Amino acid sequence: MQKQTSVTRNYTIALMQMDTQNNKEENLNTACAWIDEAAANGARLVCFPEVMNLIGKNVGEGGGRERIPGYTTEILCAKAREHGIYIHAGSLTEETGKKRSANTSVLIGPDGAILASYRKLHMFDITLADGASFCESDRVSPGNEAVTVQTGLGIFGMSICYDVRFPELYRLMALKGAQVIFVPASFTMPTGKDHWEPLLRARAIENGCYIVATGQIGTKPAYTAYGNSLVVDPWGTVTARASDMPGITYARIDLDFLDRIRKQIPSLENRRSDLYEVVWKGSAGPK
């Protein structure tokens, strides 16, 4: 487990539930205004949903796929530096130089530097009960690395949307010390209404961690997004929930509470690692 020093243990976060559409400039103007508002209200960490800057064919500035660092991250890095806050940029469509892009999440520190990036591991390739299909792997290449990062607000773990259905990833991050795990998402309405909250609560309870799940809302070109951005504490209680519209939702992170829950129910310590283990087989283990 990573050793922490000079960590703020109780702080406010802001979840930015967006109805991202096909004008990147307008989407980012909204994002920046919300960052200003959240910082003015004392948020130390601002969290965005999956594909926060563009859904659809862009009609504004900045193009579609982006390099990281690039157009959107430069804007968000400047905002983080302006306010001295952390920004979790949800995810962006990253230009990889290949046919397929990457669905990439970025964490920015208070000095405006990119602290970590994570490419979504699990591709959303499904056919729904109503016959509608969605095949993310047609256009997105999966990542090959699990990511945790030590910050002044604790140890963060990174995931994106469909990853939440794969508990092994979250256990790996928890074993690397993750206390707050991000799940930026654009969940569809049919799966969201039945699975979103149970999955998020399960990941929090299993690992004794906070789950910060910021979602898209609204009608997109291929589906309707479920919204319902949530924060779940290590006991499994939903401590904050967004309304059914775009906007800012505030929540508290309390790492002392997290420590108490992990002592009360030491499921991470009580694993039978003599009989079974979750093992990372990639070229690089969780950072």
Side-chain angles (χ1 to χ4, degrees):
M1 184 177 293
Q2 301 178 41
K3 184 179 180 181
Q4 298 182 51
T5 57
S6 302
V7 171
T8 300
R9 300 189 62 80
N10 195 306
Y11 52 90
T12 298
I13 68 172
L15 284 67
M16 310 308 207
Q17 181 165 278
M18 298 185 72
D19 183 6
T20 298
Q21 294 294 328
N22 65 340
N23 188 316
K24 184 180 289 186
E25 186 175 8
E26 289 185 1
N27 297 330
L28 289 174
N29 285 341
T30 296
C32 288
W34 288 358
I35 292 170
D36 293 342
E37 181 178 341
N41 286 323
R44 299 288 304 277
L45 166 66
V46 168
C47 308
F48 285 97
E50 187 177 17
V51 285
M52 57 81 65
N53 62 340
L54 179 66
I55 295 179
K57 186 177 180 181
N58 186 43
V59 297
E61 299 296 326
R65 298 180 179 184
E66 294 187 22
R67 293 288 186 181
I68 297 175
Y71 181 81
T72 295
T73 56
E74 287 180 2
I75 291 171
L76 297 178
C77 286
K79 279 295 177 184
R81 186 167 51 248
E82 176 185 347
H83 295 295
I85 61 173
Y86 290 86
I87 295 178
H88 182 271
S91 82
L92 311 172
T93 302
E94 182 186 8
E95 172 61 63
T96 64
K98 301 178 181 179
K99 181 178 180 180
R100 294 186 293 174
S101 59
N103 189 347
T104 303
S105 189
V106 174
L107 178 69
I108 302 165
D111 61 353
I114 294 176
L115 301 180
S117 62
Y118 162 79
R119 289 179 172 177
K120 184 180 178 186
L121 292 182
H122 301 97
M123 296 293 97
F124 186 55
D125 294 350
I126 69 162
T127 300
L128 299 175
D130 63 4
S133 63
F134 190 91
C135 193
E136 187 177 20
S137 63
D138 285 346
R139 54 186 177 79
V140 179
S141 179
N144 60 8
E145 198 169 67
V147 176
T148 61
V149 55
Q150 184 170 328
T151 77
L153 301 180
I155 300 174
F156 292 162
M158 301 176 75
S159 68
I160 299 172
C161 200
Y162 191 49
D163 286 332
V164 76
R165 294 183 181 273
F166 300 89
E168 302 91 340
L169 173 61
Y170 295 80
R171 178 50 52 91
L172 281 166
M173 291 190 286
L175 293 176
K176 292 295 290 184
Q179 298 160 306
V180 178
I181 299 180
F182 301 108
V183 191
S186 187
F187 247 61
T188 66
M189 185 65 72
T191 57
K193 65 183 179 63
D194 291 328
H195 296 168
W196 174 243
E197 183 175 329
L199 286 167
L200 296 171
R201 293 183 67 191
R203 299 296 85 82
I205 294 167
E206 291 163 349
N207 298 296
C209 67
Y210 281 92
I211 296 291
V212 177
T214 310
Q216 288 282 346
I217 196 167
T219 302
K220 314 302 181 186
Y223 58 93
T224 298
Y226 180 61
N228 278 270
S229 300
L230 299 177
V231 174
V232 187
D233 73 16
W235 188 253
T237 301
V238 175
T239 60
R241 184 192 302 269
S243 65
D244 291 333
M245 62 183 64
I248 306 174
T249 300
Y250 295 95
R252 298 287 296 179
I253 300 295
D254 184 346
L255 299 183
D256 292 328
F257 175 74
L258 179 147
D259 287 347
R260 291 196 298 272
I261 296 302
R262 286 186 172 180
K263 289 178 181 178
Q264 183 177 347
I265 304 179
S267 55
L268 295 176
E269 296 178 11
N270 290 344
R271 292 173 305 111
R272 287 293 304 276
S273 56
D274 58 322
L275 298 179
Y276 59 83
E277 191 60 272
V278 180
V279 178
W280 179 259
K281 293 183 178 181
S283 58
K287 292 181 179 178

